Amino acid sequence: MGQIKLLDQNMINMIAAGEVIERPASVVKELVENSIDAGATKITVTVEDGGRKLISITDNGCGMDADDLARAFEPHTTSKIKISSDLLGISTLGFRGEALASIASIAQIRAVSRTKDSTGANCIEIDCGTRTGVSPCSADYGTTVQVRDIFYKLPARRKFLKTANTEMGHITEQFTRIALANENMDLTLIRNGKELYRLSDKDDLRRRITELFPIPSSDISESLIEAGSSEKGLHVQALMGKPLISRTNNRFQYVFLNGRFIRDKFISHAIKEAYRGLLEPGRFPVVFLFIQMRFEDYDVNVHPTKIEVRFYNANLVHSQILGALREKLLGTDLETPGKLPEMQYAESTSRRSPAVRDHRIADAMAEFFRKHRPAQTQQQLGFRPSAPGIVHAVPHEKSAQYDRKFLQIHDSFIVAQTEDGFVIIDQHALHERIIYEDLCRRIRKSKLQSQRLLIPESFEVTVSGAEALKANTELTDKLGIELVPFGPRTMAVQAFPTLLSSVQPLDFIQDLIDLLDRKDAGLDAERLLDEVLNMAACKAAIKAGQKLTDSEIEQLLADRQNAESASRCPHGRPTTITFSISDLEKQFKRT
Ligand code: ADP
Ligand code: MG
């Protein structure tokens, strides 16, 4: 007898669910997309236990009558396409007719729906494919779909779910994508009974971005430049982050095609090229890109979750995006004006009482004038006197090797005479190396010394950011950073490493969160610590463009003698270029 059998329908649905429903966040995505396709203007997402216990979506869309409600959860049922040619120009987010059937095969569902013109609502319940009939009930117009205990009959898949916090992070990310693409929608996300986001349909995009991306040290939207172009049926609109707010990963690049979040390698490449030469290696720009084009000009039917599309004219898409972004970036003054960090902090923390704010501004002003006195002392430029017990400065005869013959050029490089020629030193790269080695030495012995902040600095974090910090308390502790939670999305820094006193704590913590987020991508503890120390050194080091006094230059040259590997910065770039007298003589044809 033959071995091949036709699978029963529930098996088919479960297999399909494997493609579409990876985790609770996929359920949120599919259900919210259905609400948007149903014309909703107000959507509420409620989640319990990271979506493992409950995901509930309520919308004010067109609703379904009793027949449609029964049919919606059957496989391959959709109202969005009718004939094969519809596939050539899909204007809705969904069209495959498999999401509801898939979800209903792997969880307990209760759906209630009512159309605008009907007097009553209807309800259906389904438990992993086993359904009740549709029965009348009372409800407002629109649709609510509740999904409970996802994968509860599939222990193998349930086991793969991560902690509630991690799953919540994925859900927040899906919510963020939807919120960016639909600025004129009222959207709420509730976690375990508490409101995490309430975004009003009156928001403009910048306001929405500020709410979705709380950046510890500033208001992100102030650092966004607008670009746009419209040609050959392709409309591009972008908010581009200035290089100043670049990140350590590309998670802050959001690309939308006719309201659908997509990932596309041509577009990523165009973005990268647009910023060529404007960012340091390893940094990624923050970009929000919105593309509108004819539905017939691309195919979304290439990926089950529709995150990838196929452009019929990918070159046009690439060149137009690159052109629009690059032109705008090159035409914009990207110099960062010397901002007073303390002052900016006081402004952005508008919840603080005005009296406290004034006080902080006064303090910031005093600090500014102290820092910008004509004669700068060592410490103000980030050179700290060595901590007791650590030999940092070098015996005098070593620095005397330079014989006081040095010169700072363009406030960025130091040219110094050596015994047999001269060196050109990149002041930032060298100082970075010196601090990096110092940090490594100290952290090997024990944790970094820290000092309490006079006023703890509070900041808002994303769900995944808070989670990342929580999971890495051992690391922050080693660094001497003390963080305390203040509320569901607020934390405060109470203590910060003494060695990094020239660094803005909130600025540092933002980059730390980015790094820790990346840890999921396979960075082991040692590499992670190294990356953190790298970043710390880079931030604490004197910058290019900073004028140094003679004694500061002397100190730098002396420390150079002491460093283990002074010729390369921690990123591997050279700190020093050496020239010998004999080379010069050859060049000038003296020999
Ligand atoms: P698709 O979205 O690909 O059509 P789904 O399985 O997600 O497939 O949904 C099946 C159908 O159920 C949709 O085509 C739509 O007609 C109906 N539907 C689903 N969710 C809603 C909703 N929130 N409001 C109104 N109709 C809905
Ligand atoms: Mg759908």
Side-chain angles (χ1 to χ4, degrees):
M1 198 170 115
Q3 297 294 311
I4 302 177
K5 302 243 158 49
L6 181 65
L7 294 175
D8 74 48
Q9 193 54 56
N10 204 41
M11 284 286 274
I12 295 174
N13 296 347
M14 279 161 75
I15 292 168
E19 279 190 328
V20 192
I21 308 300
E22 192 192 344
R23 56 184 354 141
S26 336
V27 174
V28 172
K29 171 182 185 286
E30 292 298 334
L31 295 183
V32 175
E33 286 188 352
N34 279 346
S35 299
I36 295 172
D37 283 343
T41 55
K42 185 170 173 3
I43 302 172
T44 302
V45 181
T46 306
V47 191
E48 279 173 31
D49 191 25
R52 291 142 36 117
K53 192 160 162 224
L54 171 75
I55 298 164
S56 170
I57 314 285
T58 298
D59 69 48
N60 64 351
C62 65
M64 287 173 271
D65 63 19
D67 287 348
D68 276 352
L69 188 58
R71 202 163 298 136
F73 290 88
E74 281 168 17
H76 314 299
T77 50
T78 180
S79 57
K80 299 171 195 174
I81 50 174
K82 293 189 173 64
I83 50 173
S84 63
S85 61
D86 289 346
L87 275 176
L88 302 178
I90 288 173
S91 60
T92 47
L93 293 168
F95 65 90
R96 298 169 59 107
E98 60 187 5
L100 291 185
S102 297
I103 296 167
S105 73
I106 49 115
Q108 281 187 17
I109 309 283
R110 181 183 152 84
V112 176
S113 195
R114 177 177 151 191
T115 57
K116 246 186 187 151
D117 47 15
S118 92
T119 47
N122 292 291
C123 160
I124 186 170
E125 288 184 10
I126 306 172
D127 181 3
C128 289
T130 312
R131 53 168 70 208
T132 63
V134 172
S135 55
C137 67
S138 81
D140 212 349
Y141 73 86
T143 303
T144 294
V145 180
Q146 292 178 330
V147 179
R148 285 179 200 279
D149 299 323
I150 179 171
F151 299 138
Y152 86 100
K153 280 195 183 163
L154 298 166
R157 296 208 58 195
R158 178 118 186 146
K159 210 171 67 196
F160 274 102
L161 294 182
K162 298 280 190 305
T163 63
N165 275 334
T166 303
E167 294 301 340
M168 194 60 214
H170 289 285
I171 290 172
T172 313
E173 176 62 21
Q174 289 298 345
F175 181 85
T176 300
R177 293 174 186 176
I178 300 276
L180 287 170
N182 299 279
E183 66 187 87
N184 48 9
M185 245 178 234
D186 225 310
L187 296 169
T188 306
L189 177 59
I190 297 169
R191 173 181 61 172
N192 300 339
K194 287 204 196 88
E195 203 173 274
L196 214 50
Y197 292 100
R198 173 180 286 273
L199 305 172
S200 150
D201 57 357
K202 315 254 169 351
D203 283 356
D204 69 354
L205 186 59
R206 281 177 185 268
R207 166 110 200 87
R208 196 156 268 202
I209 289 174
T210 308
E211 288 193 45
L212 290 166
F213 300 94
I215 286 192
S217 56
S218 63
D219 177 351
I220 184 175
S221 87
E222 283 170 14
S223 303
L224 296 173
I225 321 165
E226 227 163 303
S229 83
S230 186
E231 257 177 69
K232 299 184 186 143
L234 178 58
H235 308 280
V236 177
Q237 195 216 338
L239 283 176
M240 290 182 286
K242 291 184 182 169
L244 173 76
I245 58 162
S246 68
R247 311 291 285 237
T248 58
N249 58 49
N250 68 355
R251 282 200 12 225
F252 294 82
Q253 291 176 10
Y254 286 87
V255 179
F256 299 91
L257 172 60
N258 292 336
R260 183 192 307 280
F261 176 87
I262 58 160
R263 286 204 191 288
D264 182 83
K265 57 180 190 306
F266 287 102
I267 296 176
S268 303
H269 183 264
I271 292 174
K272 188 168 160 220
E273 278 295 287
Y275 279 84
R276 189 160 40 84
L278 301 173
L279 287 178
E280 284 175 35
R283 303 290 303 187
F284 296 83
V286 172
V287 175
F288 303 93
L289 183 66
F290 301 85
I291 305 165
Q292 302 283 334
M293 67 195 287
R294 283 182 295 262
F295 301 116
E296 300 78 37
D297 289 346
Y298 63 95
D299 186 2
V300 291
N301 192 17
V302 291
H303 193 279
T305 64
K306 299 162 240 138
I307 196 164
E308 282 170 25
V309 300
R310 193 178 296 128
F311 292 109
Y312 296 133
N313 190 347
N315 283 341
L316 175 73
V317 175
H318 182 273
S319 68
Q320 193 171 324
I321 291 173
L322 172 57
L325 303 194
R326 182 89 182 151
E327 193 179 316
K328 187 70 192 186
L329 281 169
L330 294 184
T332 306
D333 178 9
L334 295 173
E335 290 285 307
T336 29
K339 259 197 184 170
L340 280 175
E342 287 88 345
M343 207 148 135
Q344 184 190 343
Y345 174 71
E347 276 167 9
S348 71
T349 335
S350 44
R351 273 162 285 151
R352 230 172 259 283
S353 77
V356 174
R357 193 155 62 231
D358 287 352
H359 203 73
R360 289 186 63 89
I361 293 173
D363 284 353
M365 298 285 278
E367 177 73 2
F368 177 81
F369 288 114
R370 194 175 64 72
K371 279 193 178 163
H372 291 76
R373 276 198 305 238
Q376 287 161 319
T377 66
Q378 280 195 10
Q379 214 180 341
Q380 287 154 6
L381 284 183
F383 288 85
R384 271 158 303 279
S386 305
I390 302 222
V391 187
H392 197 56
V394 184
H396 230 72
E397 61 276 14
K398 271 203 170 175
S399 56
Q401 181 198 8
Y402 292 97
D403 198 21
R404 291 206 156 271
K405 289 193 176 133
F406 52 69
L407 162 77
Q408 187 188 26
I409 56 171
H410 295 281
D411 292 351
S412 299
F413 298 97
I414 293 155
V415 184
Q417 179 174 317
T418 57
E419 244 164 36
D420 59 352
F422 69 98
V423 289
I424 302 177
I425 293 170
D426 176 335
Q427 64 189 38
H428 170 72
L430 175 60
H431 197 213
E432 192 181 3
R433 178 80 219 177
I434 290 166
I435 296 176
Y436 170 77
E437 288 190 5
D438 197 3
L439 286 171
C440 287
R441 260 195 305 272
R442 286 167 195 247
I443 217 152
R444 230 177 281 139
K445 286 197 193 124
S446 69
K447 60 185 237 178
L448 294 184
Q449 210 179 47
S450 63
Q451 77 197 22
R452 300 214 136 250
L453 301 184
L454 278 178
I455 306 169
E457 297 199 16
S458 65
F459 58 96
E460 290 190 17
V461 271
T462 56
V463 178
S464 68
E467 156 83 342
L469 286 174
K470 217 163 104 200
N472 286 283
T473 42
E474 203 180 317
L475 174 75
T476 44
D477 190 49
K478 216 166 159 53
L479 292 170
I481 298 176
E482 206 178 295
L483 297 169
V484 284
F486 249 48
R489 282 169 50 211
T490 313
M491 298 185 97
V493 202
Q494 281 194 317
F496 200 67
T498 323
L499 255 187
L500 303 182
S501 63
S502 63
V503 178
Q504 267 290 313
L506 298 188
D507 191 30
F508 182 86
I509 282 162
Q510 177 60 63
D511 279 10
L512 182 66
I513 292 172
D514 280 1
L515 249 179
L516 296 179
D517 260 3
R518 241 177 54 194
K519 192 186 160 201
D520 280 341
L523 223 56
D524 61 40
E526 201 177 318
R527 281 259 323 275
L528 179 72
L529 178 65
D530 193 58
E531 288 243 27
V532 172
L533 297 183
N534 255 318
M535 182 180 88
C538 180
K539 286 189 177 294
I542 45 168
K543 304 285 179 294
Q546 212 168 329
K547 189 154 207 65
L548 303 182
T549 63
D550 280 0
S551 62
E552 283 161 357
I553 297 175
E554 266 173 346
Q555 176 76 53
L556 195 59
L557 295 175
D559 286 349
R560 174 168 183 263
Q561 297 302 111
N562 247 18
E564 279 167 24
S565 143
S567 66
R568 299 261 149 198
C569 81
H571 311 290
R573 289 191 294 271
T575 63
T576 311
I577 303 173
T578 315
F579 297 85
S580 69
I581 282 285
S582 60
D583 282 343
L584 288 180
E585 285 173 344
K586 257 186 244 150
Q587 292 277 318
F588 286 107
K589 314 259 184 255
R590 277 169 169 244
T591 51

